[in-house]
Amino acid sequence: MIIGVLNQKGGVGKTTIAVNLAATLAKTGSRVLLVDADPQGSALAWSSARALAPIFSVVGMAKPTLHRDLPDIAKDYEVVVIDGAPRVNELGRAAILASDVVLIPVQPSPYDIWAAADTVALIREAQQFKPNLKGVFAINRKIANTAIGRDVVTALEAFGDIPVLTAALHQRVIYAESAGQGLSVIEVAPHGDAAREIAKLASQLFNQQERKVA
């Protein structure tokens, strides 16, 4: 399974989700590859900051031929997570075409909701060539018990064919603190709220993909 984490707006937490999703899946025993397809190289920087032995592989592939080059590498792994590039360009299109499911992180902000339309348009465009491609929204950096946290779900549901995962990720300091050490939240606090959120997101993501295939 190849999971692309993409949003054409920067600063939505793509790398945070990609890294922690890869770590959570690796901790279940899956062979996981994290592909840094963003020229900024944040996932590679995270890997370089790590002092402990890696629990999954990380490679940089920020190139427009990603969708053609990745299958040969992906065959050695059970799950591949792509940390995609922001902005509508050939790198974003290549990452989407390489994916089986595209996870779109969206923060509770009107700007993020408006920008999500660009990513959805790219997914729909790619579905003309790859009909089984799936897209899902994930709310990131949600602040509990706020109206905008609830409103963002309603706004995203208007896209219709792109479901919103109920497993939202909340605003938590541990995401930044763990990243600075080259660690994931499941390593820093395996029984904490952040680790449970990521595990729930991973479970729902796989359930969505299995439903699509069925």
Side-chain angles (χ1 to χ4, degrees), residues 10-211:
V12 296
K14 291 187 299 80
T15 303
T16 296
I17 292 177
V19 163
N20 284 285
L21 182 60
T24 297
L25 295 170
K27 283 291 187 178
T28 67
S30 297
R31 295 189 305 277
V32 178
L33 172 67
L34 175 60
V35 176
D36 191 336
D38 187 343
Q40 185 173 316
S42 297
L44 288 172
W46 172 87
S47 181
S48 297
R50 186 179 180 87
L52 297 180
I55 57 175
F56 56 84
S57 302
V58 183
V59 298
M61 295 183 71
K63 50 186 181 178
T65 56
L66 174 64
H67 58 299
R68 295 196 296 269
D69 300 338
L70 186 57
D72 190 51
I73 300 172
K75 65 185 181 183
D76 296 324
Y77 297 90
E78 294 170 285
V79 183
V80 177
V81 180
I82 303 172
D83 182 16
R87 296 178 297 280
V88 177
N89 57 25
E90 57 187 1
L91 294 179
R93 287 187 171 89
I96 289 173
L97 285 171
S99 302
D100 297 313
V101 57
V102 177
L103 175 66
I104 311 169
V106 180
Q107 297 178 116
S109 159
Y111 302 106
D112 283 53
I113 296 168
W114 297 332
D118 293 330
T119 307
V120 171
L122 284 181
I123 292 172
R124 290 171 177 166
E125 175 186 296
Q127 285 171 336
Q128 303 303 311
F129 308 95
K130 197 171 183 178
N132 288 329
L133 176 65
K134 180 75 174 178
V136 295
F137 288 115
I139 309 303
N140 190 33
R141 296 174 183 151
K142 180 179 179 180
I143 300 175
N145 303 316
T146 59
I148 194 167
R150 296 186 294 271
D151 292 346
V152 65
V153 175
T154 302
L156 292 175
E157 286 174 344
F159 285 99
D161 56 331
I162 309 292
V164 184
L165 299 182
T166 59
L169 305 182
H170 290 74
Q171 181 75 36
R172 301 186 192 281
V173 174
I174 192 173
Y175 286 112
E177 290 180 340
S178 58
Q181 305 171 60
L183 297 173
S184 61
V185 295
I186 198 171
E187 294 173 287
V188 174
H191 303 295
D193 291 334
R196 284 194 291 269
E197 288 176 352
I198 292 288
K200 185 177 179 182
L201 183 146
S203 177
Q204 290 189 4
L205 189 59
F206 272 78
N207 287 340
Q208 285 285 342
Q209 181 63 10
E210 288 170 359
R211 190 176 301 126

